[in-house]
Amino acid sequence: MPPTPTRRAATAVLAAALLAPLAACAGDGGTGAAPAPRSAGSAAPPADLTVLAAASLTNVFRTAGAAYEKSRPGTRITFSFAGSQELVAQVRQGVPADALVTADTRSMDLVKEDAGTPTVIAKNRLVIATAEGNPRKIATLKDLGDPRLKVVLAAPEVPAGKYSRKILDAQKVAVEPVSQEPSVRAVLSKVELGEADAGLVYRTDAATAAGKVDAVTIPDAQNAVAEYPAASLKGSAHAEAADAFVAWLSGPEAQKIFKEAGFQQP
């Protein structure tokens, strides 16, 4: 017996019901394309993250951290700032943390067994920091070789110290620093307090002390480029959230914050 109109209608309704979920999974236009991926960090669960970060990132990371927390309710970020060599020591000692950002790639390489794949999120350059008004009239790197000047540098194991020695050696400038500090922020502090006539710091550090120190530009041909790699740590108790934060640092919102703080784009 051929199917009646009523039976044909019921069959069509049943077929439509079975096909509807498949069509929904097919994506735009039913072509079978996968749904568009979510933006970095959008699917990460809220978490309390501890981020070990180079001292020269202190100001910009406080701004970036607040922006990240605001866009992700329930997430809280605690930063621990220090010289990169100190951060490396902390990771090796097993200090609980979720992500690491250093001021050079070499420091990150020292903990590659403990970290994920790093991504350079920003770059920086050195300047000569002097007392406000530059009373000693320092104009070039060669001026730092004057033995009458009190010059302070970051210690050789600190990224800023390595960069400083590199550019001074390249210009054949002999400097005997009155002190060698554990971080670039400590160098800046010595100049601010009048305990040194000059020091080599990152351009972004000098900018945070505007009105207290002057910054003498070093030509690019005589300068060094500092790179900041970021990576999540394998020992993190919040691996997904840590990965999301590191990914966000390379995104447009964070990059805008870095640029406004004077950092160069990676």
Side-chain angles (χ1 to χ4, degrees), residues 56 103 124-127 159-160 163 184 201-206 226 228:
S56 52
N124 215 339
R125 289 183 182 272
L126 294 173
V127 297
Y163 296 132
V184 71
V201 303
Y202 295 120
R203 178 175 63 183
T204 54
D205 289 301
Y228 294 81

Side-chain angles (χ1 to χ4, degrees), residues 130-224:
T130 73
E132 185 181 9
N134 192 5
R136 303 302 296 270
K137 306 303 179 187
I138 298 167
T140 69
L141 284 172
K142 291 190 180 299
D143 291 339
L144 299 181
D146 186 339
R148 295 169 297 180
L149 288 180
K150 291 188 293 183
V151 179
V152 62
L153 300 175
E157 63 271 17
V158 181
K162 296 173 188 174
Y163 296 132
S164 297
R165 283 299 181 185
K166 178 181 178 180
I167 66 176
L168 289 170
D169 290 346
Q171 297 302 309
K172 296 180 170 48
V173 180
V175 174
E176 290 297 330
V178 293
S179 68
Q180 298 185 88
E181 300 300 316
S183 73
V184 71
R185 280 304 177 97
V187 174
L188 182 67
S189 178
K190 288 281 187 179
V191 178
E192 281 188 73
L193 295 172
E195 297 176 14
D197 298 311
L200 288 173
V201 303
Y202 295 120
R203 178 175 63 183
T204 54
D205 289 301
T208 67
K212 298 177 182 178
V213 304
D214 279 10
V216 178
T217 300
I218 301 170
D220 287 352
Q222 300 175 11
N223 216 328

Side-chain angles (χ1 to χ4, degrees), residues 16-36:
L18 292 172
L19 290 173
L22 296 178
C25 292
D28 186 26
T31 61

Side-chain angles (χ1 to χ4, degrees), residues 45-141:
D48 288 351
L49 298 177
T50 297
V51 178
L52 307 179
S56 52
L57 294 167
T58 301
N59 291 60
V60 71
F61 260 16
R62 284 173 177 162
T63 301
Y68 192 78
E69 291 176 348
K70 183 177 180 180
S71 63
R72 290 155 181 79
T75 292
R76 187 168 68 92
I77 300 180
T78 300
F79 292 107
S80 178
F81 298 105
S84 295
Q85 80 288 352
E86 294 181 37
L87 303 178
V88 166
Q90 291 175 29
V91 172
R92 286 176 164 175
Q93 292 164 8
V95 171
D98 302 289
L100 170 69
V101 189
T102 61
D104 67 337
T105 55
R106 184 178 178 183
S107 294
M108 184 66 75
D109 288 343
L110 294 175
V111 292
K112 61 184 178 182
E113 300 300 325
D114 303 291
T117 302
T119 301
V120 174
I121 60 168
K123 295 182 179 182
N124 215 339
R125 289 183 182 272
L126 294 173
V127 297
I128 304 171
T130 73
E132 185 181 9
N134 192 5
R136 303 302 296 270
K137 306 303 179 187
I138 298 167
T140 69
L141 284 172

